[in-house]
């Protein structure tokens, strides 16, 4: 029999979250960001599930675009990180992939090629990872025009949209808007997931919802359920052992937790080898038999320990939810000192995905 550790993926919840993103985008359209293997949910299944609602997908690399085309889907695909080699130009053109250009060398590749994929120009509005500075745009657009390339639009990325009180997003929006003003006929895209929940934030023509599609919160101060999102992935396993620890007994590597009273303890067949965060220590919530329980001690590669005081009748074989509808991934991420993005994309290949809906 296989291990009982499974990632259940609710495709109806995925569709619900996309429709919420589209609703919150207002007059803008919403391209579904399904990079990083659909944020760990399986890019092919995610693309198929959203195909009836989505007219445009966004991915990070060409392999992800190829996976969408391999499913027979003809939606627009935007390559957010652009091309990594000159040979990619022809591949993008053949696949009908729209390409984000963030550097001079990428633009030159396109100009030098007989193949001409549709281009977006990345604007560095202040995040300072990728993109052309506003002062460089006139030259970039002139080169593109002279090379016979007419970009479709401009995009930028926000650094702090998840921080409601930060003035950075407003400043970036202003910088971007002023930078692209000389080309009013071209499309504009700025909005990540967090931007959908910022009152008054303009999203222009295309928003780019990502993490919100998968039911994790893009905001630091509000959990996903408050935002109306539904969890898409339920990470679950089973108890494989139950015993009672006596006062003074420790459990796990480093003996970081010690019982101060008789404590029913269970071992769950999941660990950091499955992508469960090693730094999710004592008091991280889990769920068994309708009761909220907590982790104790350190997470091991293949198992972890839980305090069953709230569910003393639990037995080997009982199902344990590590995150999902009863334990929000946002909660687990806080206990592990990370974010939901990392947890979802970190679920390893040895955990089978089971789809419903």
């Amino acid at each position: 029999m296989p291990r009982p550790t499974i990632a259940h993926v609710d495709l109806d919840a995925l569709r619900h979250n996309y429709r919420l993103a589209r609703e919150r985008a207002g007059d803008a359209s919403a391209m579904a960001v399904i990079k990083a293997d659909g944020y760990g949910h399986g890019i092919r299944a995610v693309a198929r599930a959203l195909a009836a609602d989505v007219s445009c997908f966004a991915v990070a690399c060409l392999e992800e675009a190829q996976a969408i085309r391999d499913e027979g889907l003809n939606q627009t695909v935007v390559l957010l990180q652009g091309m990594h080699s000159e040979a990619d130009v022809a591949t993008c053109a053949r696949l009908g992939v729209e390409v984000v250009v963030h550097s001079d060398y990428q633009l030159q590749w396109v100009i030098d090629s007989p193949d001409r994929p549709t281009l977006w120009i990345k604007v560095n509005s202040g995040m300072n990872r990728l993109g052309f500075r506003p002062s460089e745009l006139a030259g970039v657009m002139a080169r593109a025009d002279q090379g016979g390339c007419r970009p479709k639009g401009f995009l930028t990325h926000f650094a702090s949209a998840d921080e409601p009180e930060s003035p950075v997003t407003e400043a970036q929006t202003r910088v971007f808007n002023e930078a692209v003003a000389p080309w009013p006929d071209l499309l504009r895209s700025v909005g990540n997931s967090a931007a959908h929940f910022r009152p008054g934030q303009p999203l222009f023509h295309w928003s780019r919802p990502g993490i919100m599609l998968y039911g994790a919160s893009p905001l630091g101060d509000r959990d996903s359920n408050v935002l109306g999102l539904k969890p898409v992935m339920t990470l679950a396993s089973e108890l494989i052992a139950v015993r009672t620890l006596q006062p003074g007994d420790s459990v796990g590597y480093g003996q970081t937790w010690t019982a101060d009273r008789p404590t029913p303890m269970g071992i769950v067949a999941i660990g950091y080898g499955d992508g469960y965060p090693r730094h999710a220590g004592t008091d991280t919530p889990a769920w068994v038999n309708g009761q909220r329980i907590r982790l104790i001690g350190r997470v091991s590669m293949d198992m972890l320990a839980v305090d069953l005081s709230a569910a003393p009748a639990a037995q080997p074989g009982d199902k344990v939810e590590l995150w999902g509808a009863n334990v929000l991934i946002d909660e687990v991420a806080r206990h592990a000192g990370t974010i939901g993005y990392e947890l979802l994309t970190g679920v390893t290949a040895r955990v089978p995905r089971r789809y419903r809906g």
Side-chain angles (χ1 to χ4, degrees), residues 37-54:
D37 196 28
Y39 284 58
H41 294 69
I43 189 172
R44 293 171 182 267
V46 166
R48 289 195 307 269
L50 292 176
D53 293 320
V54 171

mmCIF file with all atom_site columns, all heavy atoms in Angstrom, residues 37-54:
data_model
loop_
_atom_site.group_PDB
_atom_site.id
_atom_site.type_symbol
_atom_site.label_atom_id
_atom_site.label_alt_id
_atom_site.label_comp_id
_atom_site.label_asym_id
_atom_site.label_entity_id
_atom_site.label_seq_id
_atom_site.pdbx_PDB_ins_code
_atom_site.Cartn_x
_atom_site.Cartn_y
_atom_site.Cartn_z
_atom_site.occupancy
_atom_site.B_iso_or_equiv
_atom_site.pdbx_formal_charge
_atom_site.auth_seq_id
_atom_site.auth_comp_id
_atom_site.auth_asym_id
_atom_site.auth_atom_id
_atom_site.pdbx_PDB_model_num
ATOM 1   N N   . ASP A 1 37 ? 4.492   25.076 -11.557 1.00 0.00 ? 37 ASP A N   1
ATOM 2   C CA  . ASP A 1 37 ? 3.613   23.906 -11.580 1.00 0.00 ? 37 ASP A CA  1
ATOM 3   C C   . ASP A 1 37 ? 2.260   24.230 -10.966 1.00 0.00 ? 37 ASP A C   1
ATOM 4   O O   . ASP A 1 37 ? 1.729   23.462 -10.147 1.00 0.00 ? 37 ASP A O   1
ATOM 5   C CB  . ASP A 1 37 ? 4.258   22.718 -10.858 1.00 0.00 ? 37 ASP A CB  1
ATOM 6   C CG  . ASP A 1 37 ? 3.571   21.397 -11.201 1.00 0.00 ? 37 ASP A CG  1
ATOM 7   O OD1 . ASP A 1 37 ? 3.017   21.288 -12.315 1.00 0.00 ? 37 ASP A OD1 1
ATOM 8   O OD2 . ASP A 1 37 ? 3.570   20.481 -10.353 1.00 0.00 ? 37 ASP A OD2 1
ATOM 9   N N   . GLY A 1 38 ? 1.686   25.363 -11.365 1.00 0.00 ? 38 GLY A N   1
ATOM 10  C CA  . GLY A 1 38 ? 0.405   25.763 -10.799 1.00 0.00 ? 38 GLY A CA  1
ATOM 11  C C   . GLY A 1 38 ? 0.499   25.923 -9.298  1.00 0.00 ? 38 GLY A C   1
ATOM 12  O O   . GLY A 1 38 ? -0.361  25.445 -8.561  1.00 0.00 ? 38 GLY A O   1
ATOM 13  N N   . TYR A 1 39 ? 1.574   26.622 -8.855  1.00 0.00 ? 39 TYR A N   1
ATOM 14  C CA  . TYR A 1 39 ? 1.820   26.825 -7.418  1.00 0.00 ? 39 TYR A CA  1
ATOM 15  C C   . TYR A 1 39 ? 1.761   25.504 -6.642  1.00 0.00 ? 39 TYR A C   1
ATOM 16  O O   . TYR A 1 39 ? 1.255   25.428 -5.533  1.00 0.00 ? 39 TYR A O   1
ATOM 17  C CB  . TYR A 1 39 ? 0.822   27.828 -6.844  1.00 0.00 ? 39 TYR A CB  1
ATOM 18  C CG  . TYR A 1 39 ? 1.101   29.265 -7.191  1.00 0.00 ? 39 TYR A CG  1
ATOM 19  C CD1 . TYR A 1 39 ? 1.176   29.689 -8.505  1.00 0.00 ? 39 TYR A CD1 1
ATOM 20  C CD2 . TYR A 1 39 ? 1.274   30.225 -6.204  1.00 0.00 ? 39 TYR A CD2 1
ATOM 21  C CE1 . TYR A 1 39 ? 1.434   31.009 -8.840  1.00 0.00 ? 39 TYR A CE1 1
ATOM 22  C CE2 . TYR A 1 39 ? 1.516   31.560 -6.517  1.00 0.00 ? 39 TYR A CE2 1
ATOM 23  C CZ  . TYR A 1 39 ? 1.605   31.939 -7.846  1.00 0.00 ? 39 TYR A CZ  1
ATOM 24  O OH  . TYR A 1 39 ? 1.851   33.249 -8.170  1.00 0.00 ? 39 TYR A OH  1
ATOM 25  N N   . GLY A 1 40 ? 2.302   24.465 -7.272  1.00 0.00 ? 40 GLY A N   1
ATOM 26  C CA  . GLY A 1 40 ? 2.383   23.168 -6.619  1.00 0.00 ? 40 GLY A CA  1
ATOM 27  C C   . GLY A 1 40 ? 1.159   22.286 -6.770  1.00 0.00 ? 40 GLY A C   1
ATOM 28  O O   . GLY A 1 40 ? 1.144   21.166 -6.258  1.00 0.00 ? 40 GLY A O   1
ATOM 29  N N   . HIS A 1 41 ? 0.154   22.757 -7.495  1.00 0.00 ? 41 HIS A N   1
ATOM 30  C CA  . HIS A 1 41 ? -1.095  22.002 -7.629  1.00 0.00 ? 41 HIS A CA  1
ATOM 31  C C   . HIS A 1 41 ? -1.143  21.139 -8.890  1.00 0.00 ? 41 HIS A C   1
ATOM 32  O O   . HIS A 1 41 ? -2.045  20.321 -9.042  1.00 0.00 ? 41 HIS A O   1
ATOM 33  C CB  . HIS A 1 41 ? -2.287  22.948 -7.632  1.00 0.00 ? 41 HIS A CB  1
ATOM 34  C CG  . HIS A 1 41 ? -2.493  23.675 -6.337  1.00 0.00 ? 41 HIS A CG  1
ATOM 35  N ND1 . HIS A 1 41 ? -1.632  24.638 -5.889  1.00 0.00 ? 41 HIS A ND1 1
ATOM 36  C CD2 . HIS A 1 41 ? -3.468  23.568 -5.402  1.00 0.00 ? 41 HIS A CD2 1
ATOM 37  C CE1 . HIS A 1 41 ? -2.056  25.100 -4.719  1.00 0.00 ? 41 HIS A CE1 1
ATOM 38  N NE2 . HIS A 1 41 ? -3.162  24.467 -4.401  1.00 0.00 ? 41 HIS A NE2 1
ATOM 39  N N   . GLY A 1 42 ? -0.173  21.335 -9.794  1.00 0.00 ? 42 GLY A N   1
ATOM 40  C CA  . GLY A 1 42 ? -0.152  20.602 -11.056 1.00 0.00 ? 42 GLY A CA  1
ATOM 41  C C   . GLY A 1 42 ? -0.616  21.498 -12.185 1.00 0.00 ? 42 GLY A C   1
ATOM 42  O O   . GLY A 1 42 ? -1.818  21.732 -12.339 1.00 0.00 ? 42 GLY A O   1
ATOM 43  N N   . ILE A 1 43 ? 0.302   22.003 -12.996 1.00 0.00 ? 43 ILE A N   1
ATOM 44  C CA  . ILE A 1 43 ? -0.047  23.020 -13.983 1.00 0.00 ? 43 ILE A CA  1
ATOM 45  C C   . ILE A 1 43 ? -1.033  22.512 -15.028 1.00 0.00 ? 43 ILE A C   1
ATOM 46  O O   . ILE A 1 43 ? -1.929  23.246 -15.467 1.00 0.00 ? 43 ILE A O   1
ATOM 47  C CB  . ILE A 1 43 ? 1.227   23.576 -14.664 1.00 0.00 ? 43 ILE A CB  1
ATOM 48  C CG1 . ILE A 1 43 ? 0.893   24.784 -15.544 1.00 0.00 ? 43 ILE A CG1 1
ATOM 49  C CG2 . ILE A 1 43 ? 1.959   22.497 -15.444 1.00 0.00 ? 43 ILE A CG2 1
ATOM 50  C CD1 . ILE A 1 43 ? 2.110   25.501 -16.080 1.00 0.00 ? 43 ILE A CD1 1
ATOM 51  N N   . ARG A 1 44 ? -0.916  21.253 -15.407 1.00 0.00 ? 44 ARG A N   1
ATOM 52  C CA  . ARG A 1 44 ? -1.813  20.735 -16.438 1.00 0.00 ? 44 ARG A CA  1
ATOM 53  C C   . ARG A 1 44 ? -3.251  20.653 -15.930 1.00 0.00 ? 44 ARG A C   1
ATOM 54  O O   . ARG A 1 44 ? -4.188  21.068 -16.621 1.00 0.00 ? 44 ARG A O   1
ATOM 55  C CB  . ARG A 1 44 ? -1.325  19.367 -16.917 1.00 0.00 ? 44 ARG A CB  1
ATOM 56  C CG  . ARG A 1 44 ? 0.010   19.430 -17.657 1.00 0.00 ? 44 ARG A CG  1
ATOM 57  C CD  . ARG A 1 44 ? 0.585   18.045 -17.918 1.00 0.00 ? 44 ARG A CD  1
ATOM 58  N NE  . ARG A 1 44 ? 1.881   18.103 -18.572 1.00 0.00 ? 44 ARG A NE  1
ATOM 59  C CZ  . ARG A 1 44 ? 2.079   18.050 -19.888 1.00 0.00 ? 44 ARG A CZ  1
ATOM 60  N NH1 . ARG A 1 44 ? 1.028   17.925 -20.688 1.00 0.00 ? 44 ARG A NH1 1
ATOM 61  N NH2 . ARG A 1 44 ? 3.292   18.127 -20.399 1.00 0.00 ? 44 ARG A NH2 1
ATOM 62  N N   . ALA A 1 45 ? -3.418  20.140 -14.724 1.00 0.00 ? 45 ALA A N   1
ATOM 63  C CA  . ALA A 1 45 ? -4.765  20.040 -14.155 1.00 0.00 ? 45 ALA A CA  1
ATOM 64  C C   . ALA A 1 45 ? -5.357  21.426 -13.897 1.00 0.00 ? 45 ALA A C   1
ATOM 65  O O   . ALA A 1 45 ? -6.547  21.659 -14.126 1.00 0.00 ? 45 ALA A O   1
ATOM 66  C CB  . ALA A 1 45 ? -4.724  19.233 -12.855 1.00 0.00 ? 45 ALA A CB  1
ATOM 67  N N   . VAL A 1 46 ? -4.520  22.342 -13.418 1.00 0.00 ? 46 VAL A N   1
ATOM 68  C CA  . VAL A 1 46 ? -4.990  23.703 -13.152 1.00 0.00 ? 46 VAL A CA  1
ATOM 69  C C   . VAL A 1 46 ? -5.423  24.382 -14.445 1.00 0.00 ? 46 VAL A C   1
ATOM 70  O O   . VAL A 1 46 ? -6.483  25.013 -14.513 1.00 0.00 ? 46 VAL A O   1
ATOM 71  C CB  . VAL A 1 46 ? -3.886  24.511 -12.440 1.00 0.00 ? 46 VAL A CB  1
ATOM 72  C CG1 . VAL A 1 46 ? -4.198  26.006 -12.464 1.00 0.00 ? 46 VAL A CG1 1
ATOM 73  C CG2 . VAL A 1 46 ? -3.727  24.025 -11.007 1.00 0.00 ? 46 VAL A CG2 1
ATOM 74  N N   . ALA A 1 47 ? -4.615  24.260 -15.490 1.00 0.00 ? 47 ALA A N   1
ATOM 75  C CA  . ALA A 1 47 ? -4.952  24.886 -16.769 1.00 0.00 ? 47 ALA A CA  1
ATOM 76  C C   . ALA A 1 47 ? -6.245  24.319 -17.337 1.00 0.00 ? 47 ALA A C   1
ATOM 77  O O   . ALA A 1 47 ? -7.112  25.071 -17.814 1.00 0.00 ? 47 ALA A O   1
ATOM 78  C CB  . ALA A 1 47 ? -3.805  24.707 -17.760 1.00 0.00 ? 47 ALA A CB  1
ATOM 79  N N   . ARG A 1 48 ? -6.403  23.012 -17.286 1.00 0.00 ? 48 ARG A N   1
ATOM 80  C CA  . ARG A 1 48 ? -7.639  22.404 -17.798 1.00 0.00 ? 48 ARG A CA  1
ATOM 81  C C   . ARG A 1 48 ? -8.847  22.871 -17.004 1.00 0.00 ? 48 ARG A C   1
ATOM 82  O O   . ARG A 1 48 ? -9.907  23.162 -17.570 1.00 0.00 ? 48 ARG A O   1
ATOM 83  C CB  . ARG A 1 48 ? -7.539  20.880 -17.742 1.00 0.00 ? 48 ARG A CB  1
ATOM 84  C CG  . ARG A 1 48 ? -6.580  20.274 -18.750 1.00 0.00 ? 48 ARG A CG  1
ATOM 85  C CD  . ARG A 1 48 ? -6.824  18.767 -18.883 1.00 0.00 ? 48 ARG A CD  1
ATOM 86  N NE  . ARG A 1 48 ? -6.792  18.079 -17.599 1.00 0.00 ? 48 ARG A NE  1
ATOM 87  C CZ  . ARG A 1 48 ? -5.709  17.529 -17.051 1.00 0.00 ? 48 ARG A CZ  1
ATOM 88  N NH1 . ARG A 1 48 ? -4.549  17.617 -17.694 1.00 0.00 ? 48 ARG A NH1 1
ATOM 89  N NH2 . ARG A 1 48 ? -5.771  16.911 -15.897 1.00 0.00 ? 48 ARG A NH2 1
ATOM 90  N N   . ALA A 1 49 ? -8.702  22.945 -15.682 1.00 0.00 ? 49 ALA A N   1
ATOM 91  C CA  . ALA A 1 49 ? -9.827  23.319 -14.829 1.00 0.00 ? 49 ALA A CA  1
ATOM 92  C C   . ALA A 1 49 ? -10.279 24.750 -15.077 1.00 0.00 ? 49 ALA A C   1
ATOM 93  O O   . ALA A 1 49 ? -11.460 25.065 -14.960 1.00 0.00 ? 49 ALA A O   1
ATOM 94  C CB  . ALA A 1 49 ? -9.458  23.131 -13.357 1.00 0.00 ? 49 ALA A CB  1
ATOM 95  N N   . LEU A 1 50 ? -9.327  25.635 -15.406 1.00 0.00 ? 50 LEU A N   1
ATOM 96  C CA  . LEU A 1 50 ? -9.649  27.046 -15.593 1.00 0.00 ? 50 LEU A CA  1
ATOM 97  C C   . LEU A 1 50 ? -9.958  27.409 -17.042 1.00 0.00 ? 50 LEU A C   1
ATOM 98  O O   . LEU A 1 50 ? -10.367 28.541 -17.326 1.00 0.00 ? 50 LEU A O   1
ATOM 99  C CB  . LEU A 1 50 ? -8.490  27.916 -15.111 1.00 0.00 ? 50 LEU A CB  1
ATOM 100 C CG  . LEU A 1 50 ? -8.223  27.926 -13.603 1.00 0.00 ? 50 LEU A CG  1
ATOM 101 C CD1 . LEU A 1 50 ? -6.978  28.757 -13.305 1.00 0.00 ? 50 LEU A CD1 1
ATOM 102 C CD2 . LEU A 1 50 ? -9.421  28.467 -12.837 1.00 0.00 ? 50 LEU A CD2 1
ATOM 103 N N   . ALA A 1 51 ? -9.779  26.475 -17.948 1.00 0.00 ? 51 ALA A N   1
ATOM 104 C CA  . ALA A 1 51 ? -9.838  26.797 -19.371 1.00 0.00 ? 51 ALA A CA  1
ATOM 105 C C   . ALA A 1 51 ? -11.158 27.418 -19.797 1.00 0.00 ? 51 ALA A C   1
ATOM 106 O O   . ALA A 1 51 ? -11.185 28.279 -20.683 1.00 0.00 ? 51 ALA A O   1
ATOM 107 C CB  . ALA A 1 51 ? -9.548  25.538 -20.195 1.00 0.00 ? 51 ALA A CB  1
ATOM 108 N N   . ALA A 1 52 ? -12.252 27.013 -19.190 1.00 0.00 ? 52 ALA A N   1
ATOM 109 C CA  . ALA A 1 52 ? -13.556 27.542 -19.599 1.00 0.00 ? 52 ALA A CA  1
ATOM 110 C C   . ALA A 1 52 ? -13.746 28.996 -19.183 1.00 0.00 ? 52 ALA A C   1
ATOM 111 O O   . ALA A 1 52 ? -14.555 29.711 -19.780 1.00 0.00 ? 52 ALA A O   1
ATOM 112 C CB  . ALA A 1 52 ? -14.680 26.681 -19.007 1.00 0.00 ? 52 ALA A CB  1
ATOM 113 N N   . ASP A 1 53 ? -13.008 29.445 -18.168 1.00 0.00 ? 53 ASP A N   1
ATOM 114 C CA  . ASP A 1 53 ? -13.175 30.801 -17.648 1.00 0.00 ? 53 ASP A CA  1
ATOM 115 C C   . ASP A 1 53 ? -12.068 31.756 -18.064 1.00 0.00 ? 53 ASP A C   1
ATOM 116 O O   . ASP A 1 53 ? -12.257 32.973 -18.058 1.00 0.00 ? 53 ASP A O   1
ATOM 117 C CB  . ASP A 1 53 ? -13.218 30.769 -16.110 1.00 0.00 ? 53 ASP A CB  1
ATOM 118 C CG  . ASP A 1 53 ? -14.459 30.081 -15.570 1.00 0.00 ? 53 ASP A CG  1
ATOM 119 O OD1 . ASP A 1 53 ? -15.540 30.286 -16.140 1.00 0.00 ? 53 ASP A OD1 1
ATOM 120 O OD2 . ASP A 1 53 ? -14.332 29.331 -14.590 1.00 0.00 ? 53 ASP A OD2 1
ATOM 121 N N   . VAL A 1 54 ? -10.901 31.228 -18.381 1.00 0.00 ? 54 VAL A N   1
ATOM 122 C CA  . VAL A 1 54 ? -9.692  32.043 -18.537 1.00 0.00 ? 54 VAL A CA  1
ATOM 123 C C   . VAL A 1 54 ? -9.353  32.206 -20.017 1.00 0.00 ? 54 VAL A C   1
ATOM 124 O O   . VAL A 1 54 ? -9.337  31.228 -20.766 1.00 0.00 ? 54 VAL A O   1
ATOM 125 C CB  . VAL A 1 54 ? -8.510  31.393 -17.788 1.00 0.00 ? 54 VAL A CB  1
ATOM 126 C CG1 . VAL A 1 54 ? -7.197  32.090 -18.111 1.00 0.00 ? 54 VAL A CG1 1
ATOM 127 C CG2 . VAL A 1 54 ? -8.772  31.422 -16.288 1.00 0.00 ? 54 VAL A CG2 1
#
